[in-house]
Amino acid sequence: MTVWKCLQGALGVVGIVACTAHAHAASPWSVIGDPAHYVLDGGGDVQSERGASLTVYATPEADTRFGGGTAVIDATPYREKRVRLTGRISTQAVSDTAGIWLRADAASGRVAFANSERNPVTGNAADVVRQVEIYVPAVAERLLVGPLLIGKGRMSVRELRLEQAPPSPDDGVPPARIVEDAVRHVRAHALYADRIDWDRTQADIASRVQRVHTADAAYDLIRSLLAQLGDRHSGVLPPSDVRRSATEGVPSFVPRVEVRERVGIVAVPGFSGTEQAASLEFARDLATAIADRAASASCGWIVDLRGNSGGNMWPMLSGLHPLLGDATVGYMRDRDGRQNAWRIAPPGVTAPDLSAVPVVVVTGAKTASSGEAVAVAFRGRAHTRSMGQATMGVSTGNQLFPVPGGAALKLTTTRFVDRTGHAYGEPLAPDEEASEADAVARAVQSLAGCAG
């Protein structure tokens, strides 16, 4: 008869109970989740070269429950090191999510955790590689690893292996130092720092930080602090994201420029990263595409920002220089009322001056952050209207503040201000409402038929 021992503790979801089966003492693998509705097959050693091969499937009665497997490993050889769990996942009719998870426990409970929920595998998939990493603090006593299936269907994972990973810059950095620096930056610079009851919050942080043993856990604590600001825009960038931002420059989609009925339409993507050469190339390509179609777009232009969720505003504004011209098109205003003007760098291409032609800016619910900055840059411009739906409402500027270990706070410090002096920080409502599906067509109709 199988005896079930239930372990209260999170798999990253509040209130989940992990139940460990001890039917086969020789097997390192046990079921987690709902044993009445999920079955675990297979086995193997995740520390071996071949790894483990496991299958998890839901019985017909399974609804919104979860199930999976776990192996428990002595953490001693991995203490103060970074470990990585990798596996090849295949799925059949998975209704929700399949993935892998990795946890470190001390005597006091969980001290580090990661799963692959940010890159879920669903539906039908074959041999999809997923990996997760954690830093194992010195207090860790055991590691727990395994597959996880949420909802109905079947998943299998093969070559599930645990191995030491290259160190991250924040490994071994005292988490209290990271939190201390973050608190200092938030108090000194956050746009809405006065929304926080600092006496109560700092007492709470001082209590909680004693149970924080890794940089990842410190970032979670900082995120809970940032949530109190209520700006919906601040965040934490781990070292890998900081490095990626500095060395990459990638649009969210290829900019699209076309002409319909003598109306130019430019769909401006978000742009992630600050790498100078990539940023300049993006701006030049966008400005060149506008210039190449300017003669055919004699009735005006549509700037389509419906798919622009933000990133680095400067390559976007530079690419739109033919339509914006050399004027000051906006400002950043901090909590003390200080303002910095937006200086648009021309991208260095030959383009006609289109700064006085009619423009309709189209926005939607996904237009956010730097996408909203582009919309603000057109507010107050002559012969300009807006159409579509209100934007997301994070029309604020962020600044990066390094913290120990190579991470950074992405901290909201300013509001966007248009050229007329109007300050934002909330959703930008269009001059004329239109469904996102119809907005571009209606904008074309409103501009088409001009005399020129």
Side-chain angles (χ1 to χ4, degrees), residues 7-33:
L7 304 173
Q8 287 285 1
L11 291 181
V13 182
V14 175
I16 284 179
V17 178
C19 298
T20 305
H22 297 282
H24 302 286
S27 172
W29 289 98
S30 305
V31 178
I32 61 169

Side-chain angles (χ1 to χ4, degrees), residues 304-308 361-368 372 387-393 427-428 430 434-436 439:
D304 182 4
L305 301 174
R306 291 172 300 167
N308 192 317
V361 178
V362 177
T363 60
K366 294 181 180 178
T367 308
E372 291 171 293
M387 187 178 294
Q389 294 291 306
T391 63
M392 185 174 289
L428 278 69
S435 71
E436 292 193 34

Side-chain angles (χ1 to χ4, degrees), residues 435-447:
S435 71
E436 292 193 34
D438 298 334
V440 169
R442 286 180 58 176
V444 169
Q445 187 178 24
S446 72
L447 291 170

